[in-house]
Amino acid sequence: MQGEKGITLISITIYVIVMLIVVSVITVLTSYFYTNVDINSVSEDLNQQYTKFNSYFTEEVNKKGNKLLKIGQIESDTGNQNYIIFSSGNQYTYVPQNQGIYRNQVKIAQNITGCTFSSKKEANGKTTITVTITGKNFEKTTTYTLIE
């Protein structure tokens, strides 16, 4: 039997086992990659929502002569709705059941799990408003000074 050519059953088995290991490693790495992409997209979305809210709220506190009328909370079955009302007539409300922040009746931010408003009269006579917005793996606290 000189120079038999061909593939033996053992070599085919080894090839199949090696290919299964390679495919398994690629599958695990791909799943980690897509998991990280999903986490980043949620984080980016919350940053976008915060930026959108921040642009509206900054415009509100920078209006000349605009005063803070009321900060409050409405208790309901689905959670506490926090709100803030300005003399310009605009009201910002956090509605927990649909995880949104509204400016009057228009939803300006979504996927927010919590939002609180608080105010403080500073020694210099200016009013500061502190807003804390939370989401999944996200929390931002910003203090605004009202221009009166």
Side-chain angles (χ1 to χ4, degrees), residues 107-126:
K107 191 177 203 179
I108 60 172
Q110 59 189 3
N111 300 326
I112 306 296
T113 58
C115 178
T116 59
F117 303 102
S118 63
S119 69
K120 181 179 175 186
K121 197 76 158 173
E122 298 294 328
N124 61 5
K126 297 206 178 233

Side-chain angles (χ1 to χ4, degrees), residues 7-134:
I7 301 174
T8 64
L9 188 58
I10 293 174
S11 64
I12 288 177
T13 306
I14 290 173
Y15 292 146
V16 168
I17 290 172
V18 169
M19 289 304 292
L20 284 173
I21 291 172
V22 169
V23 168
S24 298
V25 168
I26 290 173
T27 303
V28 168
L29 292 175
T30 303
S31 71
Y32 283 133
F33 173 76
Y34 283 114
T35 301
N36 287 337
V37 167
D38 288 342
I39 290 170
N40 284 337
S41 67
V42 167
S43 176
E44 282 181 19
D45 181 53
L46 288 171
N47 278 323
Q48 289 173 346
Q49 298 304 317
Y50 173 76
T51 301
K52 194 180 345 176
F53 167 80
N54 192 37
S55 66
Y56 281 106
F57 206 77
T58 301
E59 180 184 342
E60 191 72 44
V61 297
N62 287 332
K63 286 181 184 173
K64 284 234 182 244
N66 200 7
K67 295 184 181 190
L68 173 65
L69 294 181
K70 186 176 182 182
I71 291 180
Q73 191 175 58
I74 302 169
E75 294 183 27
S76 67
D77 302 348
T78 55
N80 295 332
Q81 293 184 1
N82 297 314
Y83 65 90
I84 185 169
I85 302 173
F86 292 96
S87 62
S88 65
N90 290 324
Q91 176 176 337
Y92 293 81
T93 308
Y94 168 66
V95 181
Q97 62 258 34
N98 62 10
Q99 297 184 335
I101 299 175
Y102 290 80
R103 180 181 184 208
N104 299 326
Q105 302 298 321
V106 178
K107 191 177 203 179
I108 60 172
Q110 59 189 3
N111 300 326
I112 306 296
T113 58
C115 178
T116 59
F117 303 102
S118 63
S119 69
K120 181 179 175 186
K121 197 76 158 173
E122 298 294 328
N124 61 5
K126 297 206 178 233
T127 302
T128 58
I129 301 168
T130 303
V131 180
T132 302
I133 295 178
T134 56

